[in-house]
PDB file of all heavy atoms in Angstrom:
ATOM      1  N   ASP A   1       3.315 -13.184 -20.916  1.00  0.00           N
ATOM      2  CA  ASP A   1       2.975 -11.763 -20.872  1.00  0.00           C
ATOM      3  C   ASP A   1       1.674 -11.473 -20.072  1.00  0.00           C
ATOM      4  O   ASP A   1       1.639 -10.424 -19.313  1.00  0.00           O
ATOM      5  CB  ASP A   1       2.935 -11.155 -22.332  1.00  0.00           C
ATOM      6  CG  ASP A   1       4.233 -11.171 -23.051  1.00  0.00           C
ATOM      7  OD1 ASP A   1       5.315 -11.355 -22.346  1.00  0.00           O
ATOM      8  OD2 ASP A   1       4.218 -10.981 -24.241  1.00  0.00           O
ATOM      9  N   GLU A   2       0.705 -12.274 -20.204  1.00  0.00           N
ATOM     10  CA  GLU A   2      -0.551 -12.132 -19.553  1.00  0.00           C
ATOM     11  C   GLU A   2      -0.354 -12.181 -18.056  1.00  0.00           C
ATOM     12  O   GLU A   2      -0.871 -11.392 -17.259  1.00  0.00           O
ATOM     13  CB  GLU A   2      -1.589 -13.127 -19.975  1.00  0.00           C
ATOM     14  CG  GLU A   2      -2.965 -12.964 -19.350  1.00  0.00           C
ATOM     15  CD  GLU A   2      -3.902 -13.972 -19.822  1.00  0.00           C
ATOM     16  OE1 GLU A   2      -3.623 -14.722 -20.765  1.00  0.00           O
ATOM     17  OE2 GLU A   2      -5.069 -13.962 -19.372  1.00  0.00           O
ATOM     18  N   ASP A   3       0.455 -13.210 -17.528  1.00  0.00           N
ATOM     19  CA  ASP A   3       0.680 -13.389 -16.160  1.00  0.00           C
ATOM     20  C   ASP A   3       1.524 -12.255 -15.636  1.00  0.00           C
ATOM     21  O   ASP A   3       1.274 -11.747 -14.461  1.00  0.00           O
ATOM     22  CB  ASP A   3       1.390 -14.707 -15.905  1.00  0.00           C
ATOM     23  CG  ASP A   3       0.334 -15.886 -15.969  1.00  0.00           C
ATOM     24  OD1 ASP A   3      -0.874 -15.653 -15.955  1.00  0.00           O
ATOM     25  OD2 ASP A   3       0.834 -17.024 -15.851  1.00  0.00           O
ATOM     26  N   LEU A   4       2.492 -11.818 -16.285  1.00  0.00           N
ATOM     27  CA  LEU A   4       3.248 -10.653 -15.975  1.00  0.00           C
ATOM     28  C   LEU A   4       2.481  -9.438 -15.714  1.00  0.00           C
ATOM     29  O   LEU A   4       2.579  -8.678 -14.741  1.00  0.00           O
ATOM     30  CB  LEU A   4       4.439 -10.328 -16.931  1.00  0.00           C
ATOM     31  CG  LEU A   4       5.601 -11.331 -16.886  1.00  0.00           C
ATOM     32  CD1 LEU A   4       6.486 -11.087 -18.098  1.00  0.00           C
ATOM     33  CD2 LEU A   4       6.402 -11.206 -15.650  1.00  0.00           C
ATOM     34  N   GLU A   5       1.553  -9.234 -16.680  1.00  0.00           N
ATOM     35  CA  GLU A   5       0.659  -8.033 -16.502  1.00  0.00           C
ATOM     36  C   GLU A   5      -0.236  -8.174 -15.356  1.00  0.00           C
ATOM     37  O   GLU A   5      -0.403  -7.136 -14.623  1.00  0.00           O
ATOM     38  CB  GLU A   5      -0.114  -7.861 -17.827  1.00  0.00           C
ATOM     39  CG  GLU A   5      -1.097  -6.661 -17.854  1.00  0.00           C
ATOM     40  CD  GLU A   5      -1.871  -6.476 -19.164  1.00  0.00           C
ATOM     41  OE1 GLU A   5      -1.656  -7.268 -20.034  1.00  0.00           O
ATOM     42  OE2 GLU A   5      -2.693  -5.470 -19.244  1.00  0.00           O
ATOM     43  N   LYS A   6      -0.850  -9.295 -15.184  1.00  0.00           N
ATOM     44  CA  LYS A   6      -1.776  -9.493 -13.975  1.00  0.00           C
ATOM     45  C   LYS A   6      -0.941  -9.369 -12.702  1.00  0.00           C
ATOM     46  O   LYS A   6      -1.472  -8.728 -11.763  1.00  0.00           O
ATOM     47  CB  LYS A   6      -2.305 -10.892 -14.079  1.00  0.00           C
ATOM     48  CG  LYS A   6      -3.225 -11.343 -12.908  1.00  0.00           C
ATOM     49  CD  LYS A   6      -4.462 -10.459 -12.916  1.00  0.00           C
ATOM     50  CE  LYS A   6      -5.441 -10.902 -11.827  1.00  0.00           C
ATOM     51  NZ  LYS A   6      -6.596 -10.002 -11.758  1.00  0.00           N
ATOM     52  N   ALA A   7       0.288  -9.947 -12.631  1.00  0.00           N
ATOM     53  CA  ALA A   7       1.096  -9.754 -11.425  1.00  0.00           C
ATOM     54  C   ALA A   7       1.372  -8.284 -11.090  1.00  0.00           C
ATOM     55  O   ALA A   7       1.353  -7.921  -9.962  1.00  0.00           O
ATOM     56  CB  ALA A   7       2.424 -10.516 -11.631  1.00  0.00           C
ATOM     57  N   GLY A   8       1.651  -7.580 -12.185  1.00  0.00           N
ATOM     58  CA  GLY A   8       1.959  -6.154 -11.935  1.00  0.00           C
ATOM     59  C   GLY A   8       0.697  -5.352 -11.433  1.00  0.00           C
ATOM     60  O   GLY A   8       0.808  -4.504 -10.616  1.00  0.00           O
ATOM     61  N   GLU A   9      -0.545  -5.734 -12.005  1.00  0.00           N
ATOM     62  CA  GLU A   9      -1.677  -5.080 -11.608  1.00  0.00           C
ATOM     63  C   GLU A   9      -1.984  -5.411 -10.091  1.00  0.00           C
ATOM     64  O   GLU A   9      -2.426  -4.501  -9.248  1.00  0.00           O
ATOM     65  CB  GLU A   9      -2.893  -5.605 -12.355  1.00  0.00           C
ATOM     66  CG  GLU A   9      -2.809  -5.016 -13.806  1.00  0.00           C
ATOM     67  CD  GLU A   9      -3.887  -5.654 -14.704  1.00  0.00           C
ATOM     68  OE1 GLU A   9      -4.612  -6.612 -14.184  1.00  0.00           O
ATOM     69  OE2 GLU A   9      -4.036  -5.289 -15.881  1.00  0.00           O
ATOM     70  N   ILE A  10      -1.784  -6.621  -9.656  1.00  0.00           N
ATOM     71  CA  ILE A  10      -2.026  -7.012  -8.277  1.00  0.00           C
ATOM     72  C   ILE A  10      -0.980  -6.376  -7.427  1.00  0.00           C
ATOM     73  O   ILE A  10      -1.417  -5.774  -6.290  1.00  0.00           O
ATOM     74  CB  ILE A  10      -1.817  -8.512  -8.206  1.00  0.00           C
ATOM     75  CG1 ILE A  10      -2.987  -9.359  -8.890  1.00  0.00           C
ATOM     76  CG2 ILE A  10      -1.893  -8.999  -6.615  1.00  0.00           C
ATOM     77  CD1 ILE A  10      -2.772 -10.810  -8.901  1.00  0.00           C
ATOM     78  N   ALA A  11       0.221  -6.347  -7.723  1.00  0.00           N
ATOM     79  CA  ALA A  11       1.244  -5.594  -6.905  1.00  0.00           C
ATOM     80  C   ALA A  11       0.916  -4.113  -6.723  1.00  0.00           C
ATOM     81  O   ALA A  11       1.067  -3.469  -5.670  1.00  0.00           O
ATOM     82  CB  ALA A  11       2.574  -5.800  -7.389  1.00  0.00           C
ATOM     83  N   ALA A  12       0.475  -3.496  -7.869  1.00  0.00           N
ATOM     84  CA  ALA A  12       0.093  -2.007  -7.756  1.00  0.00           C
ATOM     85  C   ALA A  12      -1.052  -1.888  -6.774  1.00  0.00           C
ATOM     86  O   ALA A  12      -1.031  -0.829  -6.069  1.00  0.00           O
ATOM     87  CB  ALA A  12      -0.320  -1.570  -9.288  1.00  0.00           C
ATOM     88  N   ALA A  13      -2.003  -2.658  -6.861  1.00  0.00           N
ATOM     89  CA  ALA A  13      -3.151  -2.567  -5.895  1.00  0.00           C
ATOM     90  C   ALA A  13      -2.660  -2.747  -4.392  1.00  0.00           C
ATOM     91  O   ALA A  13      -3.059  -2.123  -3.519  1.00  0.00           O
ATOM     92  CB  ALA A  13      -4.260  -3.595  -6.186  1.00  0.00           C
ATOM     93  N   GLN A  14      -1.765  -3.768  -4.195  1.00  0.00           N
ATOM     94  CA  GLN A  14      -1.317  -4.115  -2.920  1.00  0.00           C
ATOM     95  C   GLN A  14      -0.511  -2.925  -2.289  1.00  0.00           C
ATOM     96  O   GLN A  14      -0.432  -2.794  -1.029  1.00  0.00           O
ATOM     97  CB  GLN A  14      -0.553  -5.355  -2.951  1.00  0.00           C
ATOM     98  CG  GLN A  14      -1.335  -6.626  -3.134  1.00  0.00           C
ATOM     99  CD  GLN A  14      -0.626  -7.854  -3.404  1.00  0.00           C
ATOM    100  OE1 GLN A  14       0.574  -7.836  -4.010  1.00  0.00           O
ATOM    101  NE2 GLN A  14      -1.128  -9.100  -3.000  1.00  0.00           N
ATOM    102  N   ASN A  15       0.243  -2.150  -3.046  1.00  0.00           N
ATOM    103  CA  ASN A  15       0.989  -1.159  -2.534  1.00  0.00           C
ATOM    104  C   ASN A  15       0.173   0.200  -2.213  1.00  0.00           C
ATOM    105  O   ASN A  15       0.771   1.220  -1.785  1.00  0.00           O
ATOM    106  CB  ASN A  15       2.047  -0.689  -3.613  1.00  0.00           C
ATOM    107  CG  ASN A  15       3.229  -1.575  -3.595  1.00  0.00           C
ATOM    108  OD1 ASN A  15       3.972  -1.716  -2.703  1.00  0.00           O
ATOM    109  ND2 ASN A  15       3.375  -2.416  -4.605  1.00  0.00           N
ATOM    110  N   LEU A  16      -1.062  -0.026  -2.210  1.00  0.00           N
ATOM    111  CA  LEU A  16      -2.005   1.174  -1.939  1.00  0.00           C
ATOM    112  C   LEU A  16      -2.932   0.837  -0.810  1.00  0.00           C
ATOM    113  O   LEU A  16      -3.776   1.644  -0.231  1.00  0.00           O
ATOM    114  CB  LEU A  16      -2.940   1.511  -3.131  1.00  0.00           C
ATOM    115  CG  LEU A  16      -2.300   1.833  -4.437  1.00  0.00           C
ATOM    116  CD1 LEU A  16      -3.254   1.981  -5.516  1.00  0.00           C
ATOM    117  CD2 LEU A  16      -1.528   3.245  -4.326  1.00  0.00           C
ATOM    118  N   ARG A  17      -2.583  -0.305  -0.067  1.00  0.00           N
ATOM    119  CA  ARG A  17      -3.422  -0.744   1.055  1.00  0.00           C
ATOM    120  C   ARG A  17      -2.605  -1.380   2.121  1.00  0.00           C
ATOM    121  O   ARG A  17      -1.312  -1.244   2.121  1.00  0.00           O
ATOM    122  CB  ARG A  17      -4.348  -1.882   0.531  1.00  0.00           C
ATOM    123  CG  ARG A  17      -3.683  -3.047  -0.046  1.00  0.00           C
ATOM    124  CD  ARG A  17      -4.598  -3.925  -0.848  1.00  0.00           C
ATOM    125  NE  ARG A  17      -5.421  -4.905   0.061  1.00  0.00           N
ATOM    126  CZ  ARG A  17      -6.309  -5.674  -0.440  1.00  0.00           C
ATOM    127  NH1 ARG A  17      -6.526  -5.737  -1.779  1.00  0.00           N
ATOM    128  NH2 ARG A  17      -6.906  -6.491   0.379  1.00  0.00           N
ATOM    129  N   GLY A  18      -3.143  -1.959   3.133  1.00  0.00           N
ATOM    130  CA  GLY A  18      -2.450  -2.675   4.147  1.00  0.00           C
ATOM    131  C   GLY A  18      -2.036  -1.847   5.337  1.00  0.00           C
ATOM    132  O   GLY A  18      -2.309  -0.718   5.410  1.00  0.00           O
ATOM    133  N   PHE A  19      -1.226  -2.551   6.152  1.00  0.00           N
ATOM    134  CA  PHE A  19      -0.830  -1.849   7.489  1.00  0.00           C
ATOM    135  C   PHE A  19      -0.088  -0.503   7.264  1.00  0.00           C
ATOM    136  O   PHE A  19      -0.389   0.474   7.944  1.00  0.00           O
ATOM    137  CB  PHE A  19       0.034  -2.843   8.317  1.00  0.00           C
ATOM    138  CG  PHE A  19      -0.721  -3.797   9.027  1.00  0.00           C
ATOM    139  CD1 PHE A  19      -0.521  -5.164   8.865  1.00  0.00           C
ATOM    140  CD2 PHE A  19      -1.534  -3.434  10.127  1.00  0.00           C
ATOM    141  CE1 PHE A  19      -1.126  -6.137   9.548  1.00  0.00           C
ATOM    142  CE2 PHE A  19      -2.235  -4.444  10.848  1.00  0.00           C
ATOM    143  CZ  PHE A  19      -2.114  -5.697  10.694  1.00  0.00           C
ATOM    144  N   HIS A  20       0.839  -0.522   6.335  1.00  0.00           N
ATOM    145  CA  HIS A  20       1.736   0.630   6.145  1.00  0.00           C
ATOM    146  C   HIS A  20       0.983   1.881   5.463  1.00  0.00           C
ATOM    147  O   HIS A  20       1.320   2.960   5.752  1.00  0.00           O
ATOM    148  CB  HIS A  20       2.942   0.216   5.465  1.00  0.00           C
ATOM    149  CG  HIS A  20       3.700  -0.708   6.228  1.00  0.00           C
ATOM    150  ND1 HIS A  20       4.219  -0.388   7.491  1.00  0.00           N
ATOM    151  CD2 HIS A  20       4.161  -1.997   5.975  1.00  0.00           C
ATOM    152  CE1 HIS A  20       4.847  -1.347   7.958  1.00  0.00           C
ATOM    153  NE2 HIS A  20       4.837  -2.436   7.038  1.00  0.00           N
ATOM    154  N   THR A  21      -0.032   1.565   4.653  1.00  0.00           N
ATOM    155  CA  THR A  21      -0.855   2.647   4.118  1.00  0.00           C
ATOM    156  C   THR A  21      -1.665   3.270   5.265  1.00  0.00           C
ATOM    157  O   THR A  21      -1.761   4.415   5.424  1.00  0.00           O
ATOM    158  CB  THR A  21      -1.761   2.206   2.994  1.00  0.00           C
ATOM    159  OG1 THR A  21      -1.040   1.743   1.904  1.00  0.00           O
ATOM    160  CG2 THR A  21      -2.752   3.350   2.485  1.00  0.00           C
ATOM    161  N   LEU A  22      -2.206   2.541   6.104  1.00  0.00           N
ATOM    162  CA  LEU A  22      -2.960   2.954   7.223  1.00  0.00           C
ATOM    163  C   LEU A  22      -2.021   3.615   8.156  1.00  0.00           C
ATOM    164  O   LEU A  22      -2.419   4.741   8.819  1.00  0.00           O
ATOM    165  CB  LEU A  22      -3.725   1.907   7.894  1.00  0.00           C
ATOM    166  CG  LEU A  22      -4.709   2.322   9.040  1.00  0.00           C
ATOM    167  CD1 LEU A  22      -5.788   3.279   8.394  1.00  0.00           C
ATOM    168  CD2 LEU A  22      -5.391   1.117   9.617  1.00  0.00           C
ATOM    169  N   GLU A  23      -0.819   3.193   8.370  1.00  0.00           N
ATOM    170  CA  GLU A  23       0.114   3.759   9.143  1.00  0.00           C
ATOM    171  C   GLU A  23       0.382   5.268   8.836  1.00  0.00           C
ATOM    172  O   GLU A  23       0.558   6.237   9.617  1.00  0.00           O
ATOM    173  CB  GLU A  23       1.456   2.929   9.154  1.00  0.00           C
ATOM    174  CG  GLU A  23       2.622   3.629  10.031  1.00  0.00           C
ATOM    175  CD  GLU A  23       3.896   2.875   9.662  1.00  0.00           C
ATOM    176  OE1 GLU A  23       3.994   2.107   8.733  1.00  0.00           O
ATOM    177  OE2 GLU A  23       4.900   3.136  10.449  1.00  0.00           O
ATOM    178  N   PHE A  24       0.677   5.364   7.473  1.00  0.00           N
ATOM    179  CA  PHE A  24       0.788   6.776   6.919  1.00  0.00           C
ATOM    180  C   PHE A  24      -0.360   7.672   7.221  1.00  0.00           C
ATOM    181  O   PHE A  24      -0.183   8.810   7.594  1.00  0.00           O
ATOM    182  CB  PHE A  24       1.107   6.776   5.471  1.00  0.00           C
ATOM    183  CG  PHE A  24       0.924   8.160   4.797  1.00  0.00           C
ATOM    184  CD1 PHE A  24       1.903   9.169   5.052  1.00  0.00           C
ATOM    185  CD2 PHE A  24      -0.111   8.405   4.030  1.00  0.00           C
ATOM    186  CE1 PHE A  24       1.699  10.388   4.552  1.00  0.00           C
ATOM    187  CE2 PHE A  24      -0.334   9.664   3.478  1.00  0.00           C
ATOM    188  CZ  PHE A  24       0.597  10.615   3.778  1.00  0.00           C
ATOM    189  N   LEU A  25      -1.576   7.210   7.075  1.00  0.00           N
ATOM    190  CA  LEU A  25      -2.872   7.905   7.247  1.00  0.00           C
ATOM    191  C   LEU A  25      -3.030   8.282   8.719  1.00  0.00           C
ATOM    192  O   LEU A  25      -3.642   9.286   9.047  1.00  0.00           O
ATOM    193  CB  LEU A  25      -4.008   7.232   6.701  1.00  0.00           C
ATOM    194  CG  LEU A  25      -4.015   6.906   5.160  1.00  0.00           C
ATOM    195  CD1 LEU A  25      -5.116   6.012   4.824  1.00  0.00           C
ATOM    196  CD2 LEU A  25      -4.238   8.328   4.390  1.00  0.00           C
ATOM    197  N   VAL A  26      -2.494   7.513   9.552  1.00  0.00           N
ATOM    198  CA  VAL A  26      -2.721   7.677  11.115  1.00  0.00           C
ATOM    199  C   VAL A  26      -1.545   8.415  11.793  1.00  0.00           C
ATOM    200  O   VAL A  26      -1.791   9.182  12.735  1.00  0.00           O
ATOM    201  CB  VAL A  26      -2.909   6.274  11.708  1.00  0.00           C
ATOM    202  CG1 VAL A  26      -2.981   6.488  13.278  1.00  0.00           C
ATOM    203  CG2 VAL A  26      -4.324   5.725  11.229  1.00  0.00           C
ATOM    204  N   PHE A  27      -0.276   8.091  11.304  1.00  0.00           N
ATOM    205  CA  PHE A  27       0.853   8.615  12.048  1.00  0.00           C
ATOM    206  C   PHE A  27       1.621   9.772  11.289  1.00  0.00           C
ATOM    207  O   PHE A  27       1.596   9.728  10.100  1.00  0.00           O
ATOM    208  CB  PHE A  27       1.839   7.457  12.364  1.00  0.00           C
ATOM    209  CG  PHE A  27       1.376   6.466  13.320  1.00  0.00           C
ATOM    210  CD1 PHE A  27       0.659   5.327  12.840  1.00  0.00           C
ATOM    211  CD2 PHE A  27       1.655   6.630  14.634  1.00  0.00           C
ATOM    212  CE1 PHE A  27       0.254   4.401  13.687  1.00  0.00           C
ATOM    213  CE2 PHE A  27       1.218   5.555  15.626  1.00  0.00           C
ATOM    214  CZ  PHE A  27       0.451   4.430  15.067  1.00  0.00           C
ATOM    215  N   LYS A  28       2.331  10.484  12.102  1.00  0.00           N
ATOM    216  CA  LYS A  28       3.274  11.468  11.470  1.00  0.00           C
ATOM    217  C   LYS A  28       4.372  11.698  12.552  1.00  0.00           C
ATOM    218  O   LYS A  28       4.142  12.029  13.637  1.00  0.00           O
ATOM    219  CB  LYS A  28       2.626  12.816  11.244  1.00  0.00           C
ATOM    220  CG  LYS A  28       3.486  13.934  10.546  1.00  0.00           C
ATOM    221  CD  LYS A  28       2.828  15.129  10.197  1.00  0.00           C
ATOM    222  CE  LYS A  28       3.610  16.197   9.542  1.00  0.00           C
ATOM    223  NZ  LYS A  28       2.881  17.386   9.178  1.00  0.00           N
ATOM    224  N   LYS A  29       5.556  11.356  12.122  1.00  0.00           N
ATOM    225  CA  LYS A  29       6.731  11.536  12.950  1.00  0.00           C
ATOM    226  C   LYS A  29       6.561  10.829  14.295  1.00  0.00           C
ATOM    227  O   LYS A  29       6.852  11.323  15.331  1.00  0.00           O
ATOM    228  CB  LYS A  29       7.126  12.972  13.195  1.00  0.00           C
ATOM    229  CG  LYS A  29       7.448  13.699  11.921  1.00  0.00           C
ATOM    230  CD  LYS A  29       7.878  15.192  12.193  1.00  0.00           C
ATOM    231  CE  LYS A  29       8.249  15.881  10.897  1.00  0.00           C
ATOM    232  NZ  LYS A  29       8.624  17.283  11.053  1.00  0.00           N
ATOM    233  N   GLY A  30       6.024   9.537  14.202  1.00  0.00           N
ATOM    234  CA  GLY A  30       5.984   8.799  15.389  1.00  0.00           C
ATOM    235  C   GLY A  30       4.741   9.066  16.338  1.00  0.00           C
ATOM    236  O   GLY A  30       4.634   8.328  17.388  1.00  0.00           O
ATOM    237  N   GLN A  31       4.065   9.995  15.944  1.00  0.00           N
ATOM    238  CA  GLN A  31       2.803  10.360  16.800  1.00  0.00           C
ATOM    239  C   GLN A  31       1.571  10.294  15.927  1.00  0.00           C
ATOM    240  O   GLN A  31       1.646  10.386  14.759  1.00  0.00           O
ATOM    241  CB  GLN A  31       2.955  11.827  17.252  1.00  0.00           C
ATOM    242  CG  GLN A  31       4.281  12.012  18.188  1.00  0.00           C
ATOM    243  CD  GLN A  31       4.270  11.215  19.468  1.00  0.00           C
ATOM    244  OE1 GLN A  31       3.177  11.020  20.090  1.00  0.00           O
ATOM    245  NE2 GLN A  31       5.457  10.755  19.918  1.00  0.00           N
ATOM    246  N   ALA A  32       0.472  10.157  16.670  1.00  0.00           N
ATOM    247  CA  ALA A  32      -0.865  10.137  15.902  1.00  0.00           C
ATOM    248  C   ALA A  32      -1.046  11.525  15.304  1.00  0.00           C
ATOM    249  O   ALA A  32      -0.557  12.596  15.914  1.00  0.00           O
ATOM    250  CB  ALA A  32      -1.922   9.879  16.956  1.00  0.00           C
ATOM    251  N   ARG A  33      -1.431  11.553  14.058  1.00  0.00           N
ATOM    252  CA  ARG A  33      -1.857  12.849  13.442  1.00  0.00           C
ATOM    253  C   ARG A  33      -2.809  13.645  14.250  1.00  0.00           C
ATOM    254  O   ARG A  33      -3.525  13.188  15.115  1.00  0.00           O
ATOM    255  CB  ARG A  33      -2.367  12.600  12.042  1.00  0.00           C
ATOM    256  CG  ARG A  33      -1.228  12.097  11.001  1.00  0.00           C
ATOM    257  CD  ARG A  33      -1.856  11.991   9.605  1.00  0.00           C
ATOM    258  NE  ARG A  33      -0.848  11.372   8.760  1.00  0.00           N
ATOM    259  CZ  ARG A  33      -0.031  12.215   8.029  1.00  0.00           C
ATOM    260  NH1 ARG A  33      -0.008  13.504   8.109  1.00  0.00           N
ATOM    261  NH2 ARG A  33       0.859  11.738   7.130  1.00  0.00           N
TER     262      ARG A  33
END
């Protein structure tokens, strides 16, 4: 249960960062915002 909880916490953090988070912040409908 401890590892499952830790894995969930890590995945939650990873879904808020990375190339695709920056992609959303920079692009809209294929163009720079």
Side-chain angles (χ1 to χ4, degrees):
D1 290 343
E2 182 179 359
D3 282 349
L4 282 170
E5 181 179 0
K6 179 65 174 178
E9 291 173 356
I10 293 173
Q14 290 172 326
N15 281 292
L16 301 171
R17 60 192 280 178
F19 278 118
H20 295 301
T21 295
L22 189 58
E23 179 192 9
F24 163 72
L25 295 170
V26 171
F27 291 91
K28 183 176 182 179
K29 297 183 180 180
Q31 301 293 326
R33 289 183 182 272

